Amino acid sequence: ETAAVTTTIPKNVSLQFFPESGHLVDGILSVVAFKATDQWGTPVEVEGIIKSDDGTTIASFKSFHDGIGKVQFKPKEGKTYTAEVETAAGKRTYPLPVVQASGINLRIQDEKGGKKFQLSRGVKNKEQYDLLFVVAQINNHVVYEMEIAFEDYPSIIGHLVTDSLPSGILHFTV
C-alpha cells in the first residue's frame, strides 16, 4: 500500500517587520526582525532582499527558523524600504516601517555573565536625547537604573551583570 502525500503550497505569505527598539531611525544601524506566515498562520521559510525606493538593494535576508529571522541595515530619512520575496505565487513586495527623522535605538546583546546594551541616537534633534534614563526590570522589580549623558557621543555602551538576578524576563525601558 502507498499513502498519498499532498503538500499545500501557501497562496498568501504575510511578512511582518519589527525594528529593534520599535522604530527605524535615520542613520542608526538597525536590526529588524521579521516573521513570515501563510494564509493559515503557519510559519513559512522565506528569503529575499531589502530595496530602497530608488531600486538599490540594501541587504539580503533569510529566515532561520519557523519563518523568523533578522536583517540589519542603516535606514535613511526620506527613503522608503520594501522587501522582495519570491513565493510560490510569484514575486511579492512588502513595506518596511517608515523611517523616523530622529530618535534613539536600544540594542541588547548577550555577553558572559550578563547583557551589553548600546544606546544610539540620530543626528537630527540629538539635543532632545542628551540625557536619558535606562531602567531594567524583572517581574516588575527594578534591577538596574542609570542616567545616561550622551555628551558629544553618537552612542553609549553599558553592561548589566545578570548572574545574581532572579530568573524572568528582563525588560529594558529608556
Side-chain angles (χ1 to χ4, degrees), residues 9-15 37-42 44 87 89 92 94:
I9 297 172
K11 291 188 173 82
N12 295 315
V13 174
S14 169
L15 184 57
T37 56
D38 64 15
Q39 65 268 31
W40 301 288
T42 304
V44 176
T87 70
R92 297 285 186 256
Y94 303 89

Side-chain angles (χ1 to χ4, degrees), residues 36-54:
T37 56
D38 64 15
Q39 65 268 31
W40 301 288
T42 304
V44 176
E45 299 306 320
V46 293
E47 73 179 282
I49 55 172
I50 304 291
K51 284 185 153 185
S52 63
D53 47 14
D54 63 6

Side-chain angles (χ1 to χ4, degrees), residues 15-18 31-36 44-46 61-72:
L15 184 57
Q16 296 174 289
F17 290 92
F18 307 96
V31 174
V32 181
F34 62 86
K35 179 181 180 182
V44 176
E45 299 306 320
V46 293
F61 64 92
K62 183 176 182 178
S63 55
F64 54 82
H65 177 71
D66 280 347
I68 296 170
K70 64 183 177 179
V71 61
Q72 183 172 290

